[in-house]
Every structure is written in C-alpha cells, then in structure tokens.
Amino acid sequence: MELFINQVLAGIATGAIYACMALAVVMIYQAIDHLNFAQGEMAMFSTFISWQLMQWGVPYWWAFLLTLAFSFAGGILIERLLFKPLAKAPILTNVAGFIALFAIVNSVAGLTWDFTIKQYPTPFGSSPFLGSQLISTHQAGMIGVTIGLLILLYLFFQFTRIGLAMRAAASLPESARLVGINTSWMIALGWGMATAIGAIAGMLIAPVVFLEPNMMGGVLIYGFAAAVLGGLTSPLGAVVGGFLVGVFENLAGTYIPGVGNELKLPIALALIITVLVLKPAGLFGRPIVKRV
Amino acid sequence: MSAIEEVANEAPAVEAVPKRAMTLGYGTSIVVLGLLVIAPMFMKNFIVFQLTMVLIYALAVLALNILTGGSGQFSLGQSAFYAVGAYTSAILMEHVGMNYALTLPIAGIICFGFGFLFGQPALRLSGIYLALATFALAVAMPQLLKLGVFEHWTGGVQGLVVTKPDAPFGLPISQDRWLYYFTLVVSIAIYIFSINLLKSRSGRAFMAIRDNEIAASAMGIDVALYKTLAFGVSAGITGVAGGLGAIAVQFVAPDGYTITLAISLFLGMVVGGVGWLPGSIVGSAFIIFVPNIAEGISKGLSGAVFGVLLFLVIFLVPHGARQVAIVAQQLIGKLKKG
C-alpha cells in the first residue's frame, strides 16, 4: 500500500508538469487549430533564459517573472513573424513550420549553452513535504503551481473582457470579427500565453530532469498525451489529463511486469492511440461536427 | 448551433495536385535516368555510397508521398516502418542466411501488413490527430527495438552487423557501385509501380478521398479500405527502402531509426513538393546533403540551417521543387518563343 500511495503521489507530481505542457498545447490549439510540435523546445529555451539570468545573479523569483515576460513577448513575436503568414496554408505546411521551429530552437540552444547537463535550482527546496516521506516539497510545489495556474486561467477566461474575446475568437472567428474583436491579435495573445505557460512547465521540471537542450522531448509527448486524453479543446481536460497520464505512467511502470522504465513512453503513446480511437474528442473535449 | 457541437470547416490537409502534374515528361525522365546511370561511373566509392543513400531515402519519401500526396493522410512515423524493414532484412540475412535481394520483398510484405494494421485505428483519426498518432509510433519504435525479449534476434542496443554483398557473376565493379545499380533498379521498379498505382482506379480513389472524403464515400468509394490500403502500400515501400538501407549501411541499431529520421523524410517530402513523385529524389538529396554542408559551416549548426531553409521553402516555394520545376519550364517556354 505504501508503495502504491508513493507511486500515485509521485505520478501526480510529474503529472503536474505534463498538465502544464498540455495547457500550453491546448492554448495554441484553441487559437489556431494546430498542435505546436515546437512547444517543448520553446519551453526549454525559456528555461535556459531563466538559468542564464540566475547565473548573472538575478534572484530566482525575479528571474522567473522576467522569463515569463520574455516568453510572452517571444511567443507573440514568433506568431507575428512566422505563423501569421501561414494561417491560410494547409495543415501540412503548418506542421512543417513547427518542425522547422523545433530544429532552429534546439540547435540555437545547443550552440549557445552547449549540450552538457546543468543543475537547476528549485524554489521550494527538496526536503520531505510536511514531514511526510511520500512527497518532496518540490513535488508539492509543482502540484500547487499547476492548480494555481489553472484557477488563474479559469478566472481570466470567465471574468475578463480579453478572456471572453479570446474565447469568442477561438470558437467563431467570423462572428467575433463582426462584433469588433481583433481576432488576429487574440491569436497572438494565445501564443504569448501558451509560451509563458510552457516556460513555467520548463522551469518546474528542470530541477527534476536537469537542464539541457533535449530535456523536453519526452515531456512534450506526455503533454500531447495529456492534452489528447483530456480533449484538445478543454484547458481543464488538459490538466486532468496531465495528472491521469502521470499516475498511469507510474503505476504501469511499477505494476505491469516487463514494463519498467524502458516501456513507460510507449505505454503513454499506446494510451494516446487508444483514447483517440475510442473517444476522439477526449474526456472533456467537445465532439467536432462536420458540415457537408 | 447547440453549445456542445462545434462545426469545423476544415481546410484540406494537402493541396490538390492534378494527376497529370505528378510525374515528369518522357524526355526529361530519360535524361534524369541517363544521368543516374552514368554519373556513378566517374565517382569515388564514398560518393557512390551517398548517392545510393539518396536513392534509398528517395524511395522512403516517395512512399510518404503516395500516402500524403495520394490519399491526403500524413504520417510522422515513417521511421518506424523503415526500421521494421531494415530489421527484417538484417535478421533474415544474418540469422537465416538468406540472399539479400530476397529479403527485400519479405520486408516489403511484412511492412505492408504493419501499415495496414496501423491504418485500422488510424482510420478514425484525421489531420493533426493522425500526425500525433504516427509521431507516437516513431518515438516508441527505438524503445521497442531495444526490448530484452527480442534481443536474441535484434542484437538489442548494439544492433546487428550486415555483410555487404559482392557484385554477382564476378562483375569487375566495386561493392558500392554494384549496390548503387541494384538500388537504382529497385527504385525504378517501385517508381513505375507507384505511378501506375496512382493512375489506376485505386489511385483515383485515393485522390478522391484526399480532396473530399465525404463526397468520395457518397460516390461509393470504400473510404476505410482505401485509406488503410494507402497506409499499407506506403509502409511496404518504406520497408523495402529500410531493407536496402540496412544492406547499404551494413548495420542496424535502434538509434538509427529515431523520430529524427521520420522528420527528415517528412521534410524531404515538403521540399520535394507534396504529390509530385519526382520531387522525392530532390527532397531526399536535400535531407542527405544539407546537414553535411551545414555541419561543414559550423558544428552543431545543422539543425538551425535545416530549419531556416525549411522556412524559406515554405514561404517562398510552398509547393517545393515542383514549383521550381514549373517556373523553370515556363522560363524555358518563354525563351523558346522569344
């Protein structure tokens, strides 16, 4: 039982990271109907920036805030420069664009900060949480930040004018334009927010997986799995999906014989495919109806 | 509209290419073929080897092109089928002692089966979801190849070494050259098969599905069958390419078939022009030579150069090499008139 609870808690903690990544993926998917394959690399780049700031002597939380601001601006810039012109292009062209972005960001990060593994500080400390051996303060912090983020996003989308405008632009762009919403900028805003959320995920997971240019590869796939599981149209679904994938991954690794650490990733992927086949809209997503 | 339903006016995944524009004219084809036959006679073995790799990747890109340009589905998981083909050939050659040429059809058939089976669940997915599912397949493949269960056959992490075949009948050409011509013959055969496939009834069904799935099913096309068939054919050709790749490189190991390979093939297709079969060889040359050149400029820069070039292609010539070819054709036409 001890082992079970331990695995579930650890799963929830890593699930928090997947949830953050999934949130970022869903944010962009809502805005432009595309999966951002470069999301993980963008998050990794943001994390490197915060690391660099800290190397220059900026305290953690200042570095954190500066990185968020930088990522937000960076996301908007990328949308304006690279993806706005592709808005009308076929899906294939967009996928190629995301892959190109992936290659560029990965390579530039490698050139600037090289591929050696770096330590990354945690703001919460790594002692046991509230005297319990089951979960560390960093893990508890990750869960707390993710839930806090979800609440903030909920408040933003439900109770602010901009949030409402963004939802309108995402669900019915033509009508939104007619009532005077600048849908183009709403999309850019979505990119900015997604990049900032990705940065949070990167900065939270860096103490666990260590900092290096390829650190987000696996995380991004789990993030996709989480987003798909929860439904690509639902931020709440993304977070729930993230926690579910985290727990499922850990339990499968522990209890299914022969899975171990090697097969955790394929298991997560099998999960994506199974969910897509059984319930393409995901657990919380809205089914998409095609008009003929 | 109720709040629960969301109506999607989906843009087509791929832009339509008219059937006639899929191939080169006869004259151009013969010139290209002539160059491919003659060129290696005057080159060093290493360059011949690289040309062989261009042909092999061109086959894999061609396979992806049939899937995407033909039936409008796309895949970021071709590396998985390539790996299965490569391992099939390697295992048959090294453990069973089979002749290398015979392993290729077997690799093709096994991959066809895999592709067809993978196509079944993929039926319910479209566009971006399919990209995601196949992406997952590509990421999982190296892990599966490393599994202890298959280690006796696959050699685990170390992989398998494959013997390079000699030229038959005591022909006085080097192994590299022989392999090049062998690959060339296989490639031409598959190229002709692909063209005929796309021009056939099945090919027209693929294209109807690509352009409008609902209209296609209304016309009586068995959408499920043809979609899985496209996956199977594409996987089968990729498998043959994988087998050839294993023979040419003389080595198979799980880390040779990562998502990077899948992405390269995808890029090759985009650069070559989606739906334009001759573009496969242009795209394949791009993915083989550009990283080398970029690596030559600055170490570690290849990813960035790759990405920037790709963005340039997307923005300037969204139809890839096909567009360049059309522009060139028009220029030549103007010169002739003038």
Side-chain angles (χ1 to χ4, degrees):
Chain A
M1 201 59 202
E2 174 93 12
L3 179 70
F4 178 79
I5 295 173
N6 206 346
Q7 290 295 331
V8 168
L9 284 176
I12 290 177
T14 38
I17 302 302
Y18 304 156
C20 277
M21 272 327 277
L23 261 180
V25 167
V26 166
M27 290 295 296
I28 289 192
Y29 186 82
Q30 289 274 54
I32 62 172
D33 282 350
H34 291 300
L35 285 179
N36 183 356
F37 285 93
Q39 194 89 62
E41 302 313 286
M42 284 157 62
M44 172 273 294
F45 201 83
S46 302
T47 314
F48 261 112
I49 288 182
S50 66
W51 179 82
Q52 189 65 59
L53 287 172
M54 281 183 252
Q55 291 303 104
W56 287 335
V58 181
Y60 185 91
W61 289 109
W62 279 108
F64 187 89
L65 289 178
L66 281 173
T67 305
L68 286 195
F70 173 86
S71 308
F72 187 79
I76 288 181
L77 198 68
I78 289 176
E79 197 274 338
R80 290 284 108 174
L81 287 179
L82 298 177
F83 288 94
K84 187 168 176 263
L86 295 181
K88 292 261 184 294
I91 299 172
L92 189 99
T93 313
N94 276 284
V95 173
F98 286 122
I99 290 173
L101 185 63
F102 179 101
I104 295 173
V105 175
N106 188 291
S107 181
V108 168
L111 276 179
T112 324
W113 292 290
D114 74 47
F115 284 88
T116 51
I117 290 173
K118 293 175 180 62
Q119 291 276 354
Y120 191 88
T122 159
F124 308 110
S126 48
S127 54
F129 181 60
L130 297 180
S132 148
Q133 292 300 317
L134 294 175
I135 184 170
S136 71
T137 42
H138 181 73
Q139 286 173 316
M142 295 199 298
I143 299 171
V145 169
T146 308
I147 292 173
L149 194 62
L150 183 68
I151 293 171
L152 275 181
L153 279 178
Y154 174 78
L155 295 176
F156 173 77
F157 280 117
Q158 289 297 327
F159 298 109
T160 63
R161 285 186 71 86
I162 293 191
L164 183 65
M166 279 178 74
R167 282 195 293 149
S171 59
L172 281 175
E174 270 81 36
S175 316
R177 215 169 286 134
L178 284 177
V179 296
I181 293 170
N182 189 339
T183 47
S184 158
W185 272 100
M186 292 303 134
I187 291 174
L189 204 58
W191 266 82
M193 287 172 66
T195 315
I197 295 171
I200 294 177
M203 287 186 279
L204 285 179
I205 202 172
V208 183
V209 298
F210 299 109
L211 187 60
E212 51 111 6
N214 296 321
M215 69 183 227
M216 296 304 274
V219 179
L220 178 66
I221 291 172
Y222 287 117
F224 279 153
V228 168
L229 185 63
L232 277 171
T233 45
S234 159
L236 172 68
V239 171
V240 175
F243 287 124
L244 283 178
V245 170
V247 172
F248 178 76
E249 171 208 16
N250 261 5
L251 292 182
T254 318
Y255 289 106
I256 301 178
V259 170
N261 270 330
E262 282 181 347
L263 273 187
K264 271 182 171 182
L265 196 58
I267 286 268
L269 304 173
L271 184 71
I272 300 187
I273 295 178
T274 316
V275 170
L276 283 180
V277 168
L278 296 179
K279 204 165 182 308
L283 298 176
F284 294 81
R286 283 164 296 179
I288 291 173
V289 178
K290 267 187 205 166
R291 185 170 280 162
V292 184
Chain B
M1 194 179 75
S2 80
I4 317 163
E5 291 178 352
E6 193 175 326
V7 176
N9 291 320
E10 262 181 76
V14 184
E15 269 176 63
V17 182
K19 200 169 53 171
R20 225 177 313 149
M22 278 195 159
T23 53
L24 291 172
Y26 277 112
T28 334
S29 302
I30 288 170
V31 171
V32 171
L33 186 60
L35 278 178
L36 284 173
V37 171
I38 296 166
M41 292 181 185
F42 309 101
M43 287 173 178
K44 282 192 205 129
N45 277 338
F46 179 67
I47 299 177
V48 174
F49 166 75
Q50 281 194 318
L51 282 181
T52 314
M53 288 314 290
V54 170
L55 285 180
I56 291 170
Y57 278 165
L59 269 184
V61 175
L62 178 81
L64 185 57
N65 225 334
I66 291 175
L67 183 69
T68 309
S71 78
Q73 312 179 78
F74 48 75
S75 163
L76 290 173
Q78 295 298 101
S79 67
F81 301 123
Y82 191 89
V84 171
Y87 267 91
T88 308
S89 278
I91 289 171
L92 286 176
M93 281 169 73
E94 294 311 304
H95 288 291
V96 186
M98 197 181 269
N99 180 291
Y100 61 95
L102 291 179
T103 65
L104 295 180
I106 298 176
I109 290 166
I110 289 180
C111 286
F112 177 86
F114 266 107
F116 196 79
L117 290 180
F118 188 80
Q120 296 288 347
L123 272 180
R124 296 198 51 181
L125 317 175
S126 60
I128 210 73
Y129 288 96
L130 186 59
L132 188 60
T134 49
F135 183 75
L137 182 69
V139 173
M141 191 45 88
Q143 307 262 29
L144 295 175
L145 291 172
K146 280 179 201 165
L147 279 187
V149 193
F150 309 126
E151 198 158 343
H152 172 67
W153 293 98
T154 58
V157 183
Q158 270 96 39
L160 282 176
V161 177
V162 180
T163 355
K164 202 171 211 174
D166 282 316
F169 321 120
L171 285 177
I173 53 174
S174 68
Q175 286 175 325
D176 283 311
R177 250 175 222 131
W178 161 245
L179 204 56
Y180 173 82
Y181 285 113
F182 178 70
T183 310
L184 186 63
V185 170
V186 175
S187 308
I188 291 170
I190 290 179
Y191 180 72
I192 292 173
F193 163 78
S194 311
I195 289 175
N196 285 322
L197 176 75
L198 288 180
K199 282 182 178 164
S200 71
R201 191 183 154 86
S202 310
R204 287 198 301 274
F206 288 167
M207 280 176 256
I209 292 170
R210 174 196 71 191
D211 295 340
N212 192 333
E213 202 174 312
I214 295 164
S217 76
M219 285 193 299
I221 291 171
D222 187 344
V223 173
L225 175 69
Y226 282 104
K227 276 181 127 177
T228 42
L229 199 63
F231 241 102
V233 169
S234 168
I237 296 176
T238 314
V240 174
L244 280 168
I247 299 168
V249 180
Q250 295 173 267
F251 183 58
V252 290
D255 290 330
Y257 308 107
T258 54
I259 184 75
T260 321
L261 175 64
I263 289 176
S264 298
L265 295 176
F266 180 81
L267 298 187
M269 176 179 70
V270 173
V271 171
V274 181
W276 191 56
L277 300 186
S280 306
I281 201 160
V282 181
S284 152
F286 180 88
I287 57 180
I288 288 193
F289 293 120
V290 166
N292 285 351
I293 298 167
E295 204 69 28
I297 298 169
S298 162
K299 217 159 169 42
L301 198 66
S302 74
V305 172
F306 220 59
V308 170
L309 279 177
L310 191 64
F311 265 121
L312 287 180
V313 168
I314 297 172
F315 280 119
L316 302 178
V317 277
H319 297 287
R322 177 162 69 102
Q323 202 166 359
V324 177
I326 291 171
V327 170
Q329 218 171 20
Q330 283 166 347
L331 276 182
I332 292 170
K334 264 185 201 161
L335 286 179
K336 271 184 190 164
K337 270 184 203 162

